[in-house]
Amino acid sequence: AFVGTPAYVAPEAVAGQPSSSAGDVYSLGAVAFFALTGAPPFEALSRAGVRSLTTLHSMPRASNSAA
């Protein structure tokens, strides 16, 4: 079963693959991005939308986000 908030979960976890410590680092980075910018790195309405965004695009730079 999927557990987590899609905007902050590593792409491999959203895809249903096994979790690793790299996924924890990704999630920490996503939370830090939110703390700095006030918005999640990727916004989508579903797990499928987040999966699509995280596999097709690199994480945005905080300096390019509206704060």
Side-chain angles (χ1 to χ4, degrees), residues 1 5 7 9-12 14 20-21 23 26 28-30 32 36 47-49 53-54 57 59-61 63 65 67:
T5 304
V9 175
E12 62 269 17
V14 174
S20 70
S21 59
Y26 179 92
L28 178 62
L36 292 170
R47 283 180 27 199
L53 289 171
T54 58
H57 303 282
M59 183 147 323
R61 296 177 58 90
S63 62
S65 297

Side-chain angles (χ1 to χ4, degrees), residues 26-57:
Y26 179 92
S27 295
L28 178 62
V31 171
F33 186 92
F34 180 82
L36 292 170
T37 67
F42 298 103
E43 294 190 57
L45 299 176
S46 68
R47 283 180 27 199
V50 171
R51 180 179 180 194
S52 175
L53 289 171
T54 58
T55 56
L56 297 175
H57 303 282

